[in-house]
Amino acid sequence: MSFDATNSSKSFKSVGTRPLRPDGVDKVTGRARYGADFNMPGQLVARVLRSKHAHAKIKSIDTSRAETVKGVKAVVTAADLPDLTDGDPALFAVLDNCMARNKAMYDGHAIAAVAAIDEKAAKAALKLIAVDYEILPHVTDVDAATLPDAPVLNEAIFTQGVEPKSTRPSNIANRTEFGHGDVDVGFSHADSVVERSYKTEQTHQGYIEPHACVANCNPDGTAELWVCTQGHFVYRQVCADLLGIEVSKLRVTSSEIGGGFGGKTHVWTEPVALALSRKANRPVKLVMSRDEVFRASGPTSATSIDVKIGANKDGIITAATATLRYTSGPYADMWAELGAMTSFACYDLENVKTVGLEVIVNRPKVAAYRAPSAPMAAFAVESAIDELAQKIGMNPVDFRIQNVASEGTQSSYGPIYGPIGIGPTLEAAKAHPHMSAPLGKNQGRGMACGFWFNFGGQTCTDLNISADGTVTIAVGTVDVGGSRASLSLIAAEELGLSYDNIKAVVADTSTLGYNDMTDGSRGTFSTSMATISAARNAIEIMRHRAALMWDIPLGDVYWEDGHAHAAGTKHGNLAPLSVKDIAAEAGKTGGPIAGHSELVADGAGVSFATHICDIDVDPETGSSRVVRYTVIQDAGKAVHPSYVEGQYQGGAAQGIGWALNEEYIYGEDGRLQNPGFLDYRIPVCSDLPMIDTQILEIPNPKHPYGVRGVGETSIVPPLAAIANAVSNAVGVRMTHIPVSPPRILAALTDAKD
Amino acid sequence: MRYERPDTMQAATALLAGAEAKSFVLAGGTDLLVRMQNDDFEADLIVDIKAISGMAKVTETDDGFVIGAGVPSVALFEDTALVAAWPGVVEAANLIGSTQIQGRCTIVGNLCNASPAADSVPALVAAGAVAQVAGPSGTRDVAVIDIPTGPGKTSLAKGEIIQAILLPKPNARTGDAYLRFIPRTEMDIAVVGVAVNLTLNEDGTVIAARVALGAVGPKVILVDTAAKAVIGSKLEDVVLQALSESCSAACTPINDKRGTVAFRTQVAGVLARRAAQTAYTRAGGK
């Protein structure tokens, strides 16, 4: 059934309220079941042997001694995961990342795995696996990898997207370009130009729950997987493809999720657990240690970005360019492309050009991290924008407002914008008391804007009305950021019920149609659309049932405020029928009442934010503290405002950590030096101020309630906002994220010399 | 792995003296239990000393304070006499880990773990603390500075356990302070640590000083030149500058994931100046 998703302005009863979250009590009392909390009888424990070399040819693997350890039931290597990827390079990259085939490509790359009756036996067996490596030269730095003398990491990679075609293998896998106008002409009209190079270090999503799963392959060819994931349907597809299982025979159930932020949109060890279970003919539990999570899952790109922006003396940007180099780990990917697309998305530019270069390095395969690739591009661009504003003597807010994109603007990455929120967030920032509050000694203020695409995608939802008139909704998008609460509010709104009458559950892959994963800030956007559609379908059925119960024509029954009403006066004074009344008679009027919806949620609606940050810097030590932070973001319509605020605060908190201290540190030997939370420094509570939020609601015209995704954009501005604040506090332009105390102190010392 | 919980120190030292190579003493367990999670960790024997009498007590004597090896950091903070006498030692012990960790961790464990970055060790060294070492053939007293010999290494012989830390009674008009640099606000490891202990005469002139640095060398460093720089002064600006420079000069740090040589050297001087000012005030100086 087609569904009209057009926004129709209405007043809401449930949407916009702040009821208690349905998963809260379970989570705070420890009852919630996360990935590692599932167990099966006869379950084995799996452990993975990982490379301690950054780059090495695997000459041979001898597992014979490991197999003899008492309690060991299976040992697998790449030989147990034959290549079924049929020339699909992206799928092959996933396979090779799960288990190295010919070469170990980074410190932490999986080489072999063991399933045993207990941890001790598994650990003992790992020590007995003999791997004969031929150590190869490695490169981990984004810029070093592009130098002529860098070791070529994959002889089969030739730079794509260049003319003439590349004839020599290169660590630059792909080049993409976006923009319009003529930047040379644009720069010739500029009165002031800022041109700088920036760098950001690799960070991890830092989810507190490590990857965990239980895999069970049955002798009849069916299999089950219980796993912590952002997308169990996608995990099912990828695992089935890699293991050669028919998709419908693999049933994947998602657990509660202790953070994902994009890192749980990719499979890591799940195919290995399935391969072990298949070989051992027993269920296998595989839980990554924190060390493994850092070394072999997750991280975002390290980047090196050159930006040039010119403006005339009236404050109009005449031209802007950026060249963005993003690491993707050992395999080709499209992270720089996303950076190139997002760089200048906040601005209305006549002449703009961005170039993205995907760089191969000996680091873990890069994964999505909350608005992937956008924060680094925003850091570089928003730093240059700030500097240019100072150079031409304009207030940084006014300079941005002067050049801001609005409805009808051709974006720097191509599309023409519909109604968007960047202008209103800037106007709100300008008017916000934070912007004019006095600063103390050694304090600086910074601001920055951010953009994210948002996504909709394939969605399927079931809504079942029980005999007592209460409702369950079964959704296929994993609840990462509170979608069960939001969707319950949406169902309550449509059906005219109270929030307490709705129970939302995440269904497994065998009980619901396909759903894309919870990424692209799509969870509440797309699934609310499907939930509204399913509810309206259920209402249609209830109208039929009411007509039957009253024995009047369907056309005389209309639905309002959670009740079927008989139209007009010709049917006498029939009392309206509630959902409960109709549900109670369902067995006599045609059976259970349910609404279904299958749709592709188009029109996600791009998202924008503006952040303001005050920072206090100790000029003698380079120590910094964020003392005030404000997030202003467009939500379209905030379904559950507390969760929306939580998303704003969470993105800002992660961005603050990224900006100030988080970074992957590699040694000369190409090994990761800080694979743990002690030396990979995410912020602790006392590091952060209370993060203020301001929700703007500029309705998305393509959602019935005007909803836009809100999960990701909040991490885009912080790197730039903080770098601008620190630069303003110390009077030296900071161009390397994280702006950690040693970098701040070194910059101050250099400036003095 | 064998776990033992003896009730006398004699039994504990005998167990360790007779043990295989991989044996460990367990008090607070905040380092050991974490290490036990590592794939590479193996142990034959763990000797838990918390059941031995006196381990959990802080005793004030005529000479000073005896702090048992099982006393958690938080208990030091709750001992008002100790806080009054050695505020710098207590503040250092209460910077270790987190609030939860401080409920279990001990300054003896901090010392025996022999991390160059241990927070309480520079403070103990500046205070002139002594470790009371029990062994199979009796006890001996060792200056705290002589316990660590390098990262993860101590001068303790096989079978020896530090059963207590002895802190002297401070002279009149004495004050100590400890400051460390961490990139976060808590739950972190010192990139630089500085402890200063000063004794003043009636007119506020420094007559005795000890300055100790942590995390800027393979083990804690007692900086005699820094002490000489402040003795005879009232911490005038030029003296503080000399103190700062002598501390920076005494640093022998490395570049690592926690900081650079330049950063550590520079910040050691800054923290020394700030810690000295706090110690001076605590000693009654104005």
Side-chain angles (χ1 to χ4, degrees):
Chain A
M1 190 185 288
S2 67
F3 172 66
D4 179 10
T6 309
N7 176 236
S8 52
S9 57
K10 60 176 277 188
S11 60
F12 296 103
K13 283 186 177 157
S14 292
V15 166
T17 61
R18 301 170 182 249
L20 286 181
R21 54 193 296 166
D23 51 333
V25 171
D26 278 357
K27 283 180 175 169
V28 300
T29 57
R31 283 170 190 265
R33 290 213 299 181
Y34 291 92
D37 294 327
F38 189 84
N39 293 295
M40 282 187 78
Q43 164 185 298
L44 303 175
V45 177
R47 298 293 306 225
V48 179
L49 179 71
R50 297 185 179 278
S51 171
K52 293 186 176 175
H53 305 294
H55 192 200
K57 189 171 177 220
I58 302 166
K59 291 164 74 179
S60 67
I61 306 175
D62 182 356
T63 60
S64 56
R65 286 181 66 211
E67 282 156 14
T68 63
V69 172
K70 192 163 181 255
V72 169
K73 300 295 180 188
V75 182
V76 298
T77 65
D80 297 280
L81 281 162
D83 182 4
L84 308 174
T85 61
D86 198 23
D88 177 341
L91 192 58
F92 179 80
V94 173
L95 174 69
D96 194 61
N97 190 50
C98 285
M99 198 58 88
R101 309 190 81 74
N102 300 313
K103 291 206 293 184
M105 293 302 292
Y106 57 91
D107 169 43
H109 200 164
I111 305 295
V114 173
I117 55 166
D118 59 24
E119 180 98 13
K120 197 171 166 223
K123 276 162 80 167
L126 283 191
K127 289 190 174 141
L128 296 174
I129 297 174
V131 186
D132 187 9
Y133 291 107
E134 178 188 334
I135 312 290
L136 300 170
H138 65 269
V139 60
T140 54
D141 180 74
V142 57
D143 288 324
T146 63
L147 296 176
D149 63 344
V152 173
L153 302 189
N154 185 339
E155 294 288 340
I157 289 180
F158 296 80
T159 310
Q160 303 292 304
V162 290
E163 290 293 340
K165 271 198 153 160
S166 175
T167 55
R168 287 175 53 195
S170 166
N171 292 331
I172 299 174
N174 197 19
R175 178 187 187 278
T176 47
E177 190 178 316
F178 297 89
H180 53 254
D182 185 327
V183 291
D184 292 330
V185 171
F187 282 119
S188 74
H189 296 146
D191 296 312
S192 297
V193 173
V194 166
E195 189 171 9
R196 269 198 196 271
S197 294
Y198 304 87
K199 241 180 143 160
T200 70
E201 293 301 328
Q202 184 161 38
T203 55
H204 195 276
Q205 295 84 345
Y207 32 81
I208 299 305
E209 184 193 10
H211 300 276
C213 68
V214 174
N216 182 38
C217 286
N218 298 308
D220 65 0
T222 63
E224 297 138 298
L225 182 69
W226 291 265
V227 62
C228 172
T229 172
Q230 288 175 246
H232 44 321
F233 289 91
V234 173
Y235 272 38
R236 177 182 65 166
Q237 184 70 50
V238 174
C239 290
D241 286 349
L242 295 183
L243 273 290
I245 303 171
E246 283 175 46
V247 173
S248 295
K249 289 187 177 166
L250 174 59
R251 183 178 192 173
V252 183
T253 306
S254 64
S255 68
E256 286 289 350
I257 184 166
F261 315 109
K264 290 171 184 168
T265 60
H266 312 253
V267 305
W268 308 100
T269 57
E270 296 77 11
V272 175
L274 284 162
L276 283 166
S277 173
R278 180 164 66 183
K279 198 165 184 177
N281 195 22
R282 294 263 291 265
V284 170
K285 179 186 263 191
L286 203 166
V287 181
M288 272 187 169
S289 66
R290 182 60 58 187
D291 173 277
E292 290 179 289
V293 169
F294 274 109
R295 286 167 69 209
S297 82
T300 186
S301 304
T303 73
S304 156
I305 303 173
D306 307 326
V307 175
K308 184 179 176 187
I309 310 178
N312 65 24
K313 56 184 180 327
D314 300 326
I316 307 288
I317 295 174
T318 59
T321 63
T323 301
L324 307 99
R325 290 164 289 269
Y326 280 49
T327 62
S328 60
Y331 313 103
D333 219 318
M334 55 176 292
W335 305 113
E337 184 174 351
L338 289 176
M341 290 172 82
T342 61
S343 307
F344 292 105
C346 295
Y347 300 104
D348 182 2
L349 304 174
E350 203 176 323
N351 305 295
V352 58
K353 178 180 161 182
T354 59
V355 172
L357 301 169
E358 315 291 343
V359 183
I360 305 294
V361 290
N362 293 115
R363 292 180 181 229
K365 185 178 191 296
V366 164
Y369 179 12
R370 205 169 192 163
S373 302
M376 308 82 129
F379 158 61
V381 167
E382 292 290 301
S383 293
I385 292 270
D386 236 45
E387 200 174 349
L388 188 55
Q390 284 168 3
K391 212 166 170 178
I392 61 175
M394 263 182 95
N395 174 299
V397 195
D398 291 334
F399 182 56
R400 286 175 171 90
I401 290 173
Q402 177 96 297
N403 293 284
V404 76
S406 58
E407 186 166 3
T409 296
Q410 180 177 14
S411 66
S412 55
Y413 64 98
I416 310 278
Y417 288 131
I420 55 172
I422 181 63
T425 66
L426 278 165
E427 296 289 353
K430 189 177 176 179
H432 199 285
H434 184 170
M435 207 47 122
S436 50
L439 285 167
K441 195 180 170 224
N442 295 324
Q443 291 185 351
R445 177 166 299 143
M447 68 165 296
C449 299
F451 157 86
W452 186 243
F453 304 98
N454 286 350
F455 178 57
Q458 298 185 66
T459 314
C460 180
T461 295
D462 279 354
L463 183 149
N464 292 298
I465 296 176
S466 307
D468 64 355
T470 62
V471 173
T472 55
I473 44 179
V475 302
T477 41
V478 173
D479 181 358
V480 173
S483 56
R484 279 170 295 187
S486 307
L487 299 172
S488 298
L489 285 170
I490 295 266
E493 187 74 46
E494 274 302 315
L495 294 168
L497 296 174
S498 90
Y499 172 81
D500 299 333
N501 293 137
I502 317 284
K503 172 75 180 169
V505 299
V506 179
D508 68 65
T509 59
S510 293
T511 53
L512 197 63
Y514 177 83
N515 277 265
D516 283 327
M517 56 198 170
T518 304
D519 68 348
S521 299
R522 67 174 291 276
T524 294
F525 167 74
S526 66
T527 312
S528 67
M529 203 183 273
T531 300
I532 292 167
S533 167
R536 290 180 184 174
N537 291 337
I539 287 168
E540 196 53 26
I541 291 168
M542 288 190 283
R543 277 183 61 232
H544 278 268
R545 301 298 176 85
L548 279 174
M549 287 166 70
W550 281 325
D551 196 19
I552 65 171
L554 176 63
D556 289 347
V557 180
Y558 69 96
W559 189 268
E560 197 176 276
D561 289 336
H563 291 77
H565 297 262
T569 52
K570 60 184 169 179
H571 301 300
N573 280 330
L574 288 173
L577 292 172
S578 67
V579 174
K580 196 173 173 180
D581 298 334
I582 299 168
E585 297 298 314
K588 295 174 204 157
T589 57
I593 300 166
H596 305 281
S597 175
E598 303 86 28
L599 51 78
V600 177
D602 289 326
V606 291
S607 169
F608 293 91
T610 296
H611 291 197
I612 315 164
C613 166
D614 292 353
I615 204 155
D616 189 300
V617 180
D618 179 342
E620 289 188 317
T621 65
S623 175
S624 67
R625 294 284 174 264
V626 177
V627 291
R628 188 170 180 183
Y629 202 100
T630 303
V631 177
I632 303 162
Q633 186 175 322
D634 172 22
K637 174 68 197 171
V639 178
H640 191 305
S642 299
Y643 272 115
V644 173
E645 287 160 1
Q647 290 282 8
Y648 291 6
Q649 292 166 325
Q654 286 188 308
I656 290 167
W658 191 342
L660 290 178
N661 281 308
E662 294 179 38
E663 63 177 310
Y664 268 47
I665 302 168
Y666 279 89
E668 289 291 314
D669 58 0
R671 299 204 63 197
L672 184 60
Q673 302 290 299
N674 55 337
F677 281 133
L678 184 56
D679 287 305
Y680 180 88
R681 293 184 167 81
I682 65 173
V684 297
C685 281
S686 53
D687 290 339
L688 298 173
M690 185 63 194
I691 294 164
D692 294 327
T693 57
Q694 186 176 347
I695 299 172
L696 303 187
E697 296 188 324
I698 295 138
N700 177 359
K702 293 184 176 166
H703 184 281
Y705 294 175
V707 170
R708 295 174 195 264
V710 296
E712 292 168 289
T713 309
S714 52
I715 201 175
V716 181
L719 278 59
I722 285 169
N724 286 336
V726 172
S727 300
N728 291 334
V730 301
V732 182
R733 178 53 55 182
M734 301 304 296
T735 59
H736 192 164
I737 293 281
V739 284
S740 57
R743 286 207 180 96
I744 293 173
L745 197 58
L748 283 169
T749 308
D750 288 350
K752 264 187 224 154
D753 294 344
Chain B
M1 189 186 81
R2 191 154 64 104
Y3 170 83
E4 295 285 351
R5 191 179 165 88
D7 50 18
T8 67
M9 189 50 75
Q10 212 172 359
T13 57
L15 276 165
L16 289 169
E20 306 283 316
K22 287 166 187 159
S23 54
F24 298 88
V25 176
L26 173 69
T30 53
D31 286 310
L32 184 62
L33 294 183
V34 175
R35 285 176 63 193
M36 287 171 78
Q37 303 294 317
N38 291 346
D39 277 357
D40 297 336
F41 183 87
E42 280 171 15
D44 301 308
L45 174 67
I46 287 176
V47 178
D48 184 342
I49 58 169
K50 288 194 291 294
I52 300 167
S53 82
M55 286 301 106
K57 274 193 353 206
V58 179
T59 314
E60 191 171 358
T61 65
D62 291 345
D63 302 330
F65 297 88
V66 180
I67 302 167
V71 176
S73 288
V74 71
L76 303 181
F77 190 68
E78 286 163 359
D79 190 309
T80 47
L82 185 65
V83 172
W86 295 108
V89 170
V90 175
E91 74 191 348
N94 283 279
L95 287 172
I96 301 168
S98 60
T99 302
Q100 292 91 330
I101 293 292
Q102 286 148 22
R104 297 299 285 179
C105 72
T106 67
I107 53 172
V108 170
N110 203 212
L111 177 59
C112 292
N113 195 41
S115 161
D119 282 310
S120 66
V121 175
L124 289 171
V125 168
V130 167
Q132 196 176 69
V133 179
S137 49
T139 62
R140 63 189 180 107
D141 287 351
V142 183
V144 163
I145 195 169
D146 294 325
I147 296 292
T149 54
K153 294 196 168 66
T154 69
S155 59
L156 296 175
K158 188 172 163 71
E160 286 189 324
I161 298 172
I162 296 178
Q163 65 179 16
I165 294 291
L166 311 177
L167 277 168
K169 270 260 154 76
N171 293 319
R173 293 175 71 78
T174 292
D176 71 335
Y178 175 76
L179 284 177
R180 66 168 183 183
F181 187 88
I182 55 170
R184 288 188 285 213
T185 44
E186 60 178 328
M187 296 175 74
D188 217 328
I189 298 266
V191 181
V192 179
V194 182
V196 178
N197 173 22
L198 301 177
T199 302
L200 317 183
N201 68 10
E202 283 307 315
D203 76 355
T205 303
V206 177
I207 53 169
R210 284 170 73 88
V211 179
L213 307 179
V216 291
K219 59 169 280 189
V220 60
I221 299 168
L222 185 64
V223 190
D224 290 333
T225 50
K228 287 202 182 88
V230 294
I231 290 172
S233 82
K234 293 180 179 174
L235 296 195
E236 299 82 357
D237 285 350
V238 59
V239 172
L240 288 171
Q241 185 59 29
L243 163 73
S244 191
E245 283 166 12
S246 56
C247 284
S248 291
C251 294
T252 56
I254 53 170
N255 285 317
D256 70 3
K257 59 196 172 189
R258 292 178 188 147
T260 60
V261 167
F263 179 79
R264 288 181 153 125
T265 305
Q266 203 170 335
V267 172
V270 172
L271 295 191
R273 193 183 71 229
R274 293 176 183 179
Q277 287 170 314
T278 303
Y280 189 77
T281 307
R282 285 177 179 169
K286 286 185 183 121

